[in-house]
Amino acid sequence: VSDMFIALQGALTADHDIREEIRKVVQALEQTAREILTLLQGVHQGGGVQHIPKKCQKAREHFGTVRTQMESLKTKFPADQYYRFHEHWRFVLQRLVFLAAFVVYLESETLVTREAVAEILGIEADRERGFHLDIEDYLSGVLTLASELARLAVNSVTAGDYSRPLRIAAFISELDSGFRLLNLKNDSLRKRYDGLKYDVKKIEEVVYDLSIRGLTKEAPVGVGAEK
């Protein structure tokens, strides 16, 4: 019996060591994510939209660090035990998806694909190929993007940019239509999706306010979101 419990203790110690190594890399990823977020928050400030190209370029440089950190994370646990340790990096991965999606939107006003996000982060899109971007993590990040764009719509009006909210409204409308096609069974993701209707309502109120003030001039509001 003692030999059996000694072996069990050895397994527990090994598992603890793996989790500790994962935790260290995740902390580094969280720090990089905070740096990217701080950089991109500048677009909400007065005149910030004028510096979008420069901010996006710097953000992409930070994603180079993310890819290096992801490579390190992949080595910290057995390749076939992704979901055993998934909870350790789930939150930061969703945050990074949001940041990648925000950068792509700011650059082209399109919705980034899961495959493109995986490439930006230096991981796989397909589960069979190892460390990958889970579909639900991708969708959670996209929902965070919607909330950020609702905020950007409001701040754009404050900055005197009256056409951007119209484009954001069209983009979010298509995003909402896309999510309606999904049969979401994950409770956490479903709750996140329920919050999208509030983002839609918030942006619609901004557009309505612009309309009654006569500020919705003839301006292109094409979405450009990938189908």
Side-chain angles (χ1 to χ4, degrees), residues 1-29:
V1 173
S2 61
D3 289 342
M4 181 178 67
F5 275 86
I6 290 173
L8 290 173
Q9 179 58 49
L12 286 173
T13 300
D15 186 78
H16 177 271
D17 291 343
I18 290 175
R19 293 180 186 279
E20 183 63 22
E21 288 298 312
I22 291 174
R23 186 185 66 82
K24 292 177 182 178
V25 181
V26 169
Q27 284 182 332
L29 279 167

